[in-house]
Amino acid sequence: MKQPVRIAVTGAAGNISYSLLFKIAAGEMLGADQPVILQLVEIPQAMDKLRGVAMELEDCAFPLVHGISLHDNPFDGFRGIHYAMLVGARPRSKGMERADLLEANAVIFAEQGKALNEVANRDVKALVVGNPANTNCLILSRNAPNLDPSQFCAMTRLDHNRAKGILGNKLGVNPSDLDGVCVWGNHSPTMYPDVHHATVLGEESAISQIDEKWYKEDYTPRIQKRGAEIIEWRGLSSAASAAQAALDHMHDWALGSNGEVVSMGIISDGSYGVAKGIYYSFPCVCEFGSYQIIQGLEINEYGQSMMKKTEEELLSEKAAVDHLLPAETAESRENLRKSDRTGQTAYDNGLDKADVYYKADRIC
Ligand code: NAX
């Protein structure tokens, strides 16, 4: 049997986590043969609710769950972790300006970045779900200078899945028959859902089968504002679909995307002329625990203007939090594109062996 891996989930008592945790525990993220230890992190006020969630996890008697621990701070919660699912974030409250929201989250993600830097496994993979996800991810990685910036991602997989689901529905095909759909840029209404390179059943071009007016005036704004549409109908924000997307993202990153194109908010290396150093969603393929940006796609004028617009938004978000970002170190720059990781999880994580295995009281 494989050794258990440690997975931290923040915002673990929230809506998304209420789906996510049970899927992880069932083996849907890392496989049915991969035991897990769940390290659940919340704010102190939510610890009672978190205990209730942990009790439900225990009541499922998942064979893969070898331990659950509850934490009210990331320095304890991230100790030795191999995967970080960063779902918790400060929501926008009434009257809060965008700059205030960015700043409030900057504080949270700066602390979490420092914690990852200090106590996580050196091979950790961190996915930021909490909004504004791309800029939170930038803050996180800049506060973890000893980790490779490519170990951090912002989640745009929900946008990607939406783009596939809605296009598949329009074309009358199963979403799995589509490949090459991608979302560029920010997880916000400026994102650019691109179907120009998409194929149906590996052959036909998808764009040739749809009307340009529908693509630009109906489909694109629908993907961009899908979150608001869900709230309008459901009365609550996307939760199960967001959990599924987080799971898909981490699954493919860790185990490979089988040659399929997936959208990931990753550190820009300047590909496609996108400014370096921001977390921008690119089309990627994943293999051996790493990802690569698909290069050489032809982008038309419309696409270029859409990509620019979302890049400008990310640059303005970065400018709003720039004063809170620690200086970029030579080390973190060197780490960029350094691809010497094997994709193998390092188990020598400095933790006591006894702590790694099953505990009598699985909620501690
Ligand atoms: P909830 O408000 O239900 O849950 C958030 C949880 O995070 C709460 O339990 C809260 O106590 C906790 N939390 C807040 N600050 C924390 C901190 N510093 N450390 C640990 N926990 C903390 O929100 P939910 O619906 O679960 O959404 C979570 C986040 O996902 C939000 O920021 C939301 O905007 C974002 N989303 C991102 C998506 C994406 O595609 N990237 C899509 C879905 C979702 O909108």
Side-chain angles (χ1 to χ4, degrees), residues 9-18 41-43 45-46 49 71-74 86-91 105 108-109 111-112 128-134 136 154-159 162 187 227 237-239 241-243 245:
V9 179
T10 68
N15 287 319
I16 294 176
S17 294
Y18 197 63
V41 185
E42 259 294 347
I43 52 175
Q45 306 88 292
K49 190 174 174 195
H71 308 272
D72 65 5
N73 75 84
L86 306 180
V87 182
R90 173 82 189 274
N105 278 295
I108 294 173
F109 284 86
E111 190 197 20
Q112 293 185 357
V128 177
V129 176
N131 279 322
N134 299 51
N136 288 344
M155 188 173 93
T156 54
R157 183 61 179 262
L158 178 55
D159 312 306
R162 286 166 171 166
H187 170 67
S237 60
S238 320
S241 54

Side-chain angles (χ1 to χ4, degrees), residues 58-256:
E58 187 177 39
D59 292 351
C60 293
F62 286 117
L64 290 176
V65 177
H66 281 219
I68 302 171
S69 56
L70 313 185
H71 308 272
D72 65 5
N73 75 84
F75 286 89
D76 292 337
F78 293 173
R79 193 161 293 281
I81 56 167
H82 306 96
Y83 299 93
M85 313 293 283
L86 306 180
V87 182
R90 173 82 189 274
R92 195 174 200 149
S93 45
K94 215 173 171 193
M96 200 179 199
E97 296 293 331
R98 190 169 174 76
D100 299 335
L101 180 74
L102 283 162
E103 284 213 11
N105 278 295
V107 175
I108 294 173
F109 284 86
E111 190 197 20
Q112 293 185 357
K114 290 187 181 97
L116 286 173
N117 200 49
E118 224 172 273
V119 300
N121 189 292
R122 295 303 84 189
D123 200 32
V124 67
K125 287 179 164 57
L127 173 65
V128 177
V129 176
N131 279 322
N134 299 51
T135 297
N136 288 344
C137 191
L138 170 70
I139 292 160
L140 187 79
S141 90
R142 287 284 288 273
N143 279 278
N146 299 332
L147 298 173
D148 182 330
S150 69
Q151 288 175 257
F152 302 86
C153 280
M155 188 173 93
T156 54
R157 183 61 179 262
L158 178 55
D159 312 306
H160 175 96
N161 288 352
R162 286 166 171 166
K164 270 182 96 167
I166 292 173
L167 181 63
N169 195 22
K170 173 78 175 172
L171 296 177
V173 298
N174 189 285
S176 64
D177 295 336
L178 296 168
D179 190 22
V181 173
C182 72
V183 171
W184 301 87
N186 200 2
H187 170 67
S188 84
T190 66
M191 75 183 80
Y192 170 40
D194 185 358
V195 303
H196 289 88
H197 317 285
T199 52
V200 186
L201 291 165
E203 287 176 8
E204 296 165 61
S205 128
I207 191 94
S208 64
Q209 298 179 42
I210 55 174
D211 176 49
E212 191 181 344
K213 189 167 152 54
W214 177 81
Y215 172 55
K216 289 187 178 165
E217 294 175 20
D218 192 346
Y219 177 78
T220 298
R222 190 141 191 231
I223 307 296
Q224 290 171 326
K225 296 181 200 147
R226 184 67 158 183
E229 192 184 354
I230 302 286
I231 294 174
E232 210 174 286
W233 285 92
R234 190 174 169 261
L236 293 166
S237 60
S238 320
S241 54
Q244 184 61 44
L247 196 96
D248 288 344
H249 181 121
M250 204 52 112
H251 170 276
D252 290 353
W253 191 5
L255 303 178

Side-chain angles (χ1 to χ4, degrees), residues 39-58:
Q39 302 186 185
L40 310 183
V41 185
E42 259 294 347
I43 52 175
Q45 306 88 292
M47 291 308 286
D48 286 350
K49 190 174 174 195
L50 182 60
R51 179 157 290 270
V53 174
M55 287 160 76
E56 280 204 76
L57 278 166
E58 187 177 39

